[in-house]
Amino acid sequence: MHQDFIRKITSYFPVIFELLVRLRINYDFKVYLFAMTLNPTFLKLIKAPALLAIISFVLYWVMAYDLERTNTLKLLSIYTTVFLLFYLLIQYTKHNLKLLTWLAFGFRAIFILAIPNLSQDFYRFIWDGRMILEGFNPYLYTPESFITSNQFPVAQAQELYNGMGELNGSHFTNYPPLNQLCFAIAALFASKSILYSATVMRLIIIAADFGTLYFGKKLLKKLNLSEHNIFWYILNPFIIIELTGNLHFEGVMIFFLIWSLYLLHSGKWKWAAVILACSISVKLIPLMFLPLFYQWFVKNDSSLKSGIVRLLSFYSIVGGSILILFLPFFDTQFISNYSKTVGLWFNNFEFNASIYYLAREIGYLFRGYNEIAVIGKILPVIVILYILIVTFFRKNKSTRQLISAMLFTISIYLFFSTTVHPWYIAMPLVLAVFTNYKFPILWSLAVVLSYLAYTNKDNTENLWVIAIEYCIVYAYFIYEVRFKKSGLATNQLQG
């Protein structure tokens, strides 16, 4: 079986080699790689997973050190190839968790000394961290306010401002306190080097991913599910590239969320509340899950009164913990600045949206101009109504049902959002691991199409490309909802 598979895989090697040449990947090892594919002795000695891993290592290296996001042909080619290899690796080595773990670590290690090439947000992360180290409250000042007045409060201030761009630099920071702590740690260990600051933050994100691996496997085991399912998240190229590579801290938020769910399932709901607060204090997204805990506490308790008391206690611990974490940054101006910045995501920014873009086009027909000021207020109301319906009318008594409800809540939120950056898909992707739904895995592949917006100087989107992305996602989403109504992982997640 392995010999047949090896022959099948290696038959594609000349094509891959030609692709590398066409993409101008001029590295010495490409010749060596091609020579190996023609060596019968090599093919007999090496197993299929090793071949897949070798090609993946090469492509990840190219992704980390020889790619510009404006070169979308190269990006799409490498991303889709490495995604196929990821799928095959899971299929052929899913019973070898140790090997999958080493591969997950090895692929991430490739990016250690890389400067993110698909996102510029990390410049703002470094700025905020160094501001804290210099004694400034990052929530009270914009980078633009310093640069325009010719003040440079942190090392490499002008370079950081140029890197983050005027749009980012003109707004107050919207990153919660535990996220700011990660930035400050990077500043503490690398206060004068952008590369070293990025490396420190990357190590934090990698550590969080392996925390997710640890608690994810334990939770899957407690739910009587296959532990290898967690690798649909941990080994996913989307996670490796967007979180480890591009330094997005969704991975840290997810680590705390999965840890919290594990504690909750284990009956340690008080500690689960504290850890959930930590997740919210990295990114605010998990706030929308709070109503979903209603049935888990109230319906699972023999007494309605006792269940409500436990639920309110859970909410109190979460709220109190968040307040404590925000307390060091509190200022009379803080609330105003922070709320305005968060509000921008609903009323000003547009990127890779789906339902919103359809509503916007309808608005153009009737009024002739952009309707975000109106639509941006309506869509969140629809999401809130959906959350309330799921909270009170959908069964969320078990941990599996709760996670399934979370998956649908975050998915509906993203479907109705005005801005859906690629890394936002990390949350539905990890939740899908504990359910029988696979559409987030397909979404993590299709979302790469959103980077086609960077092929032009204005970063304008091609709505036909966005339509292709969401047609793929919605088609499979509807199929799964139609044929997997329970949403529970009663069957193991297969390939």
Side-chain angles (χ1 to χ4, degrees), residues 139-140 329-341:
Y139 295 103
L140 303 184
F329 299 99
F330 184 78
D331 185 275
T332 53
Q333 190 63 31
F334 161 74
I335 297 177
S336 175
N337 293 347
Y338 196 74
S339 59
K340 287 179 181 178
T341 304

Side-chain angles (χ1 to χ4, degrees), residues 175-475:
Y175 305 108
L178 276 189
N179 214 346
Q180 295 288 348
L181 175 61
C182 296
F183 306 158
I185 291 173
L188 182 63
F189 287 96
S191 61
K192 297 182 179 179
S193 169
I194 291 176
L195 174 60
Y196 291 159
S197 293
T199 300
V200 174
M201 288 190 287
R202 185 167 284 123
L203 291 173
I204 294 173
I205 293 171
I206 291 174
D209 277 350
F210 282 90
T212 301
L213 172 63
Y214 176 76
F215 287 110
K217 286 170 59 178
K218 290 174 74 71
L219 182 57
L220 284 167
K221 188 174 182 179
K222 280 184 171 289
L223 295 175
N224 297 317
L225 303 173
S226 177
E227 294 180 44
H228 88 270
N229 287 357
I230 192 64
F231 288 97
W232 289 107
Y233 172 83
I234 292 296
L235 203 59
N236 194 308
F238 164 77
I239 296 299
I240 295 171
I241 293 167
E242 283 294 353
L243 306 192
T244 300
N246 294 322
L247 297 180
H248 294 297
F249 281 80
E250 270 70 13
V252 180
M253 168 191 67
I254 285 169
F255 157 63
F256 284 120
L257 178 66
I258 299 304
W259 185 7
S260 176
L261 289 172
Y262 170 75
L263 291 171
L264 186 68
H265 185 78
S266 302
K268 303 175 182 178
W269 62 270
K270 294 179 181 178
W271 280 112
V274 174
I275 302 303
L276 179 60
C278 292
S279 181
I280 296 169
S281 297
V282 177
K283 297 279 186 174
L284 297 181
I285 287 295
L287 273 173
M288 72 175 67
F289 298 148
L290 288 179
L292 304 179
F293 290 92
Y294 166 76
Q295 289 192 39
W296 200 94
F297 282 97
V298 176
K299 299 295 184 179
N300 283 329
D301 203 295
S302 57
S303 168
L304 176 62
K305 181 179 179 181
S306 175
I308 292 177
V309 169
R310 284 205 308 157
L311 176 66
L312 294 178
S313 299
F314 179 81
Y315 287 156
S316 298
I317 295 172
V318 172
S321 300
I322 293 173
L323 288 176
I324 290 172
L325 291 169
F326 269 101
L327 195 59
F329 299 99
F330 184 78
D331 185 275
T332 53
Q333 190 63 31
F334 161 74
I335 297 177
S336 175
N337 293 347
Y338 196 74
S339 59
K340 287 179 181 178
T341 304
V342 172
L344 290 173
W345 295 102
F346 296 99
N347 298 316
N348 291 75
F349 298 151
E350 305 172 350
F351 183 79
N352 193 36
S354 57
I355 292 176
Y356 164 70
Y357 280 169
L358 291 175
R360 187 182 68 178
E361 291 303 310
I362 295 173
Y364 281 141
L365 295 176
F366 287 96
R367 295 169 64 97
Y369 56 87
N370 199 339
E371 294 284 318
I372 190 170
V374 177
I375 302 172
K377 292 181 174 64
I378 296 174
L379 296 183
V381 174
I382 296 174
V383 174
I384 291 172
L385 290 175
Y386 174 82
I387 293 173
L388 293 176
I389 291 172
V390 172
T391 296
F392 295 106
F393 299 102
R394 187 185 188 278
K395 290 183 179 180
N396 301 323
K397 294 173 61 177
S398 70
T399 303
R400 293 185 186 182
Q401 291 172 333
L402 175 62
I403 294 176
S404 179
M406 288 179 172
L407 170 60
F408 274 86
T409 296
I410 185 64
S411 299
I412 294 298
Y413 166 77
L414 293 175
F415 290 160
F416 282 88
S417 291
T418 61
T419 304
V420 183
H421 288 300
W423 50 94
Y424 293 1
I425 312 304
M427 178 66 84
L429 179 62
V430 74
L431 293 173
V433 166
F434 304 93
T435 75
N436 203 34
Y437 290 103
K438 305 175 189 176
F439 71 89
I441 299 175
L442 185 62
W443 200 354
S444 68
L445 170 62
V447 75
V448 72
L449 292 172
S450 65
Y451 278 106
L452 290 177
Y454 298 111
T455 56
N456 55 76
K457 294 181 180 180
D458 298 328
N459 294 341
T460 54
E461 298 175 278
N462 185 325
L463 295 185
W464 286 109
V465 173
I466 300 299
I468 292 172
E469 173 193 345
Y470 281 104
C471 281
I472 294 171
V473 175
Y474 280 131

